[in-house]
Amino acid sequence: MARILIVEDEPDIVLSLQEDLRRQGYQTEVATDGEQALQLGRDGVWDLILLDVMLPKMDGFDVCSELRRAGVATPIILLTARAQEAEKELGLDSGADDYVTKPFSLRELRARIRAQLRRTSRNNEQTCRFGDCEVDFDRAQLLRSGQPVDITPQELRLLGVFLRNRGRVLSRDQLIEAAWGHGMAITDRAVDTHVFNLRKKIETVPSEPKLLIGVRGLGYRFET
Ligand code: CA
């Protein structure tokens, strides 16, 4: 289930977006000003961010460039009342992937969302190589030097989260949220156990990891 962060300060739009996106099977959370958006965008693990441009505290363009500067590579769709400005900003360096002009139709927005999610899943998932490993997410298969390795669906989900966020330190809370689901009662120790098991499957020397690196006091990072 894809996780979408909705950044919008108009309650009516928030309500209709939330309702529609949930009906499409997406998991959603909402930020209602620029600062909150920056914080949630940076700390959370999202598959897509819908970002209103006119926001209290900090505008959407600035939020977008700050997120990119912080290494967040999540697709961002701007919601803007000013198409020309959005075009200009997209061409510059705010780093958004697409924009939709207000007032927009939900149908149009859904199509744009699907297009972005397809694009990233093509880039990041299906098959993915690192070290001597190859993961095929469609077939739920891990190959090591061409040989199949047993991997559980949960380990595969966790690996997917790491691969989509290469180079980023992910806290145990972020990993639980993204790989198990919001509000799941998973302990930090259970996360560590899964990482430990994953290392045995992907690392050359599991006790000296070169891919799945532990970052003391913070969490884990998948080396790029
Ligand atoms: Ca607004």
Side-chain angles (χ1 to χ4, degrees):
M1 198 201 279
R3 293 167 45 75
I4 299 182
L5 175 62
I6 301 169
V7 183
E8 173 61 70
D9 59 321
E10 286 164 61
D12 290 352
I13 302 183
V14 171
L15 273 182
S16 75
L17 281 177
Q18 257 186 322
E19 194 183 287
D20 190 69
L21 294 178
R22 283 182 183 163
R23 208 180 301 137
Q24 305 302 311
Y26 302 120
Q27 223 179 311
T28 62
E29 259 184 70
V30 177
T32 53
D33 67 52
E35 285 174 8
Q36 199 190 2
L38 190 56
Q39 195 205 329
L40 282 175
R42 232 177 355 211
D43 298 346
V45 178
W46 309 98
D47 295 296
L48 186 118
I49 301 174
L50 286 179
L51 180 57
D52 185 28
V53 171
M54 297 285 278
L55 287 168
K57 295 187 183 172
M58 188 175 185
D59 80 25
F61 296 132
D62 287 343
V63 172
C64 191
S65 31
E66 283 296 317
L67 287 175
R68 292 301 186 233
R69 210 166 299 153
V72 176
T74 310
I76 296 178
I77 301 178
L78 295 174
L79 306 177
T80 176
R82 302 168 297 176
Q84 275 178 329
E85 199 162 323
E87 270 166 31
K88 212 173 75 190
E89 286 283 338
L90 287 179
L92 297 171
D93 55 2
S94 82
D97 299 276
D98 199 0
Y99 71 92
V100 173
T101 314
K102 285 179 169 182
F104 51 83
S105 78
L106 288 170
R107 195 192 163 90
E108 160 86 11
L109 184 63
R110 274 181 227 143
R112 301 290 186 97
I113 290 174
R114 279 197 302 273
Q116 288 301 324
L117 291 175
R118 262 201 309 275
R119 188 178 64 81
T120 46
S121 70
R122 251 207 309 277
N123 287 344
N124 294 328
E125 285 189 356
Q126 279 184 347
T127 62
C128 194
R129 284 166 225 269
F130 54 89
D132 57 356
C133 298
E134 185 180 332
V135 199
D136 185 330
F137 285 93
D138 286 342
R139 295 184 181 178
Q141 203 177 44
L142 170 65
L143 297 177
R144 183 91 184 265
S145 309
Q147 296 300 310
V149 176
D150 274 337
I151 186 163
T152 69
Q154 187 54 54
E155 286 164 356
L156 199 64
R157 275 196 291 277
L158 186 60
L159 183 57
V161 172
F162 278 121
L163 290 172
R164 285 198 298 276
N165 294 278
R166 287 187 194 214
R168 251 185 101 186
V169 178
L170 298 171
S171 70
R172 290 172 181 79
D173 284 346
Q174 288 176 321
L175 290 168
I176 292 169
E177 179 109 11
W180 277 267
H182 185 64
M184 294 296 286
I186 305 295
T187 61
D188 285 0
R189 214 182 134 75
V191 175
D192 294 340
T193 304
H194 276 80
V195 168
F196 179 80
N197 291 333
L198 212 43
R199 278 178 177 155
K200 286 196 287 195
K201 300 178 182 184
I202 63 172
E203 297 281 358
T204 312
V205 185
S207 57
E208 294 167 31
K210 298 270 184 289
L211 296 167
L212 249 175
I213 311 295
V215 183
R216 193 176 293 271
L218 292 175
Y220 294 100
R221 184 183 71 232
F222 198 95
E223 274 304 316
T224 50

